[in-house]
Amino acid sequence: MRAATGWQDYEILDCSGGEKLERWGDVTLIRPDPQVIWNTPKDARWRRADARYQRSASGGGSWQEAGLRKQSWQIGYRELRFHIRPTGFKHTGLFPEQAVNWDLMGELIRGAGRPVSVLNLFAYTGGATLACAAAGAKVCHVDAAKGMVQWARDNAALSGLDGRPIRWIVDDCRKFVEREIRRGVRYDGIVMDPPSYGRGPGGEVWKLEDSIYDLVQTCAGALSDRPLFFLLNSYTTGLSPSVMAYILSVTVRERFGGVVSADEIGLPVTRTGLVLPCGSTAIWREQP
């Protein structure tokens, strides 16, 4: 497993009983996590948490705020800064485990020795966008949610990157890629973090296992003649790292050569010293 160990402003203090106790700067939150199937003892830090996300029996959930004195605040990772806001869907606007991928993409971009353009699909609040831009890449950030794109722009400004060459696009990711291919626009790097399940504006059902191969195959057509990387994330338990590696092998490696790797990614847990799995990533990269 590849663990994001570079955080100073974030940590998982403990995890037990289907929940994790996290520190986001000076705020501690308790959020549900289906991976946490063990029931180890919970110490006094759990009782002192600022807020807890409680799931509802009827679906969804809400935040039970014990000592939360602010609705938004900021944290940093290396040179990047992010606005944190607990949302109605248990999320905070950031997936800290992705920092291990931000570091990898930054290293590849800085070591390329040439201009690099990156397409970030399902780009959310822009963690990968900012990491790539900070490394010197030209980035196209695409997400269907207007509010998420604005949040990402705010993070860019907070990080001092609002003057970098970043295109901010509110659009359906697949339709945007298809138009880019028809326009002849190509990218040296692609990163995508598609949802496990969702519905399109016309009621279309998106299920990752059923759609991911066709999507990756389409996106491979937007790669340049000399691509640098293609990074695919998944939080779907039914989609193993090996399956994602196979998809990248038959869609990208067969055409461009290079190497494919895949693994779980995770975050260290302070109390136990163990690593909590938080999803999977498959990566195709140019032959070293």
Side-chain angles (χ1 to χ4, degrees):
M1 187 186 303
R2 297 164 53 234
T5 58
W7 281 99
Q8 299 295 320
D9 284 357
Y10 171 86
E11 65 178 314
I12 298 180
L13 299 168
D14 194 9
C15 52
S16 178
E19 297 178 310
K20 54 190 175 186
L21 174 66
E22 305 166 288
R23 179 180 64 82
W24 299 81
D26 60 356
V27 175
T28 54
L29 303 176
I30 298 173
R31 296 193 295 159
D33 191 314
Q35 298 274 46
V36 182
I37 62 174
W38 46 88
N39 284 289
T40 48
K42 294 182 177 180
D43 61 25
R45 293 177 299 178
W46 289 82
R47 296 190 295 274
R48 294 195 298 266
D50 295 302
R52 180 186 217 136
Y53 188 85
Q54 204 92 40
R55 290 204 180 279
S56 168
S58 59
S62 61
W63 288 95
Q64 311 301 313
E65 300 175 4
L68 189 61
R69 297 178 298 277
K70 48 191 175 183
Q71 298 304 308
S72 66
W73 62 97
Q74 302 170 10
I75 68 171
Y77 181 77
R78 305 199 193 283
E79 71 268 47
L80 308 179
R81 300 288 299 174
F82 302 96
H83 293 281
I84 301 300
R85 292 198 295 270
T87 71
F89 299 98
K90 89 169 182 176
H91 299 304
T92 62
L94 197 65
F95 292 96
E97 65 276 5
Q98 287 298 325
V100 72
N101 288 327
W102 304 342
D103 288 346
L104 172 62
M105 289 185 289
E107 179 183 337
L108 292 173
I109 291 165
R110 291 185 178 97
R114 56 188 170 97
V116 174
S117 61
V118 174
L119 175 62
N120 185 11
L121 300 171
F122 309 96
Y124 195 47
T125 59
T129 294
L130 303 192
C132 292
K138 179 180 178 181
V139 185
C140 182
H141 174 110
V142 187
D143 197 282
K146 184 177 181 180
M148 292 299 105
V149 175
Q150 184 57 55
W151 195 336
R153 297 187 74 151
D154 293 341
N155 285 337
L158 188 64
S159 300
L161 297 170
D162 46 337
R164 297 294 178 95
I166 303 173
R167 292 171 66 200
W168 303 103
I169 306 294
V170 179
D171 203 349
D172 176 88
C173 289
R174 179 191 287 274
K175 291 177 181 177
F176 177 78
V177 170
E178 289 171 347
R179 287 198 301 274
E180 290 288 86
I181 292 171
R182 290 196 297 269
R183 289 188 286 246
V185 180
R186 298 293 182 266
Y187 296 90
D188 304 303
I190 295 177
V191 52
M192 63 168 67
D193 200 343
S196 298
Y197 181 85
R199 289 188 179 273
E204 311 93 333
V205 175
W206 161 274
K207 190 176 179 183
L208 185 62
E209 299 97 314
D210 297 337
S211 306
I212 189 62
Y213 173 75
D214 289 341
L215 179 61
V216 171
Q217 190 175 45
T218 296
C219 291
L223 288 169
S224 67
D225 292 336
R226 189 187 167 193
L228 185 62
F229 65 83
F230 194 125
L231 191 146
L232 173 62
N233 289 305
S234 171
Y235 293 92
T236 302
T237 55
L239 195 64
S240 72
S242 296
V243 168
M244 296 196 297
Y246 196 103
I247 291 172
L248 287 183
S249 294
V250 298
T251 56
V252 182
R253 189 181 65 185
E254 284 189 1
R255 177 179 172 187
F256 295 103
V259 294
V260 174
S261 60
D263 206 344
E264 289 184 300
I265 58 174
L267 289 160
V269 179
T270 301
R271 191 185 73 80
T272 62
L274 302 173
V275 177
L276 178 67
C278 300
S280 301
T281 300
I283 308 159
W284 172 89
R285 69 185 82 180
E286 184 182 44
Q287 188 73 42

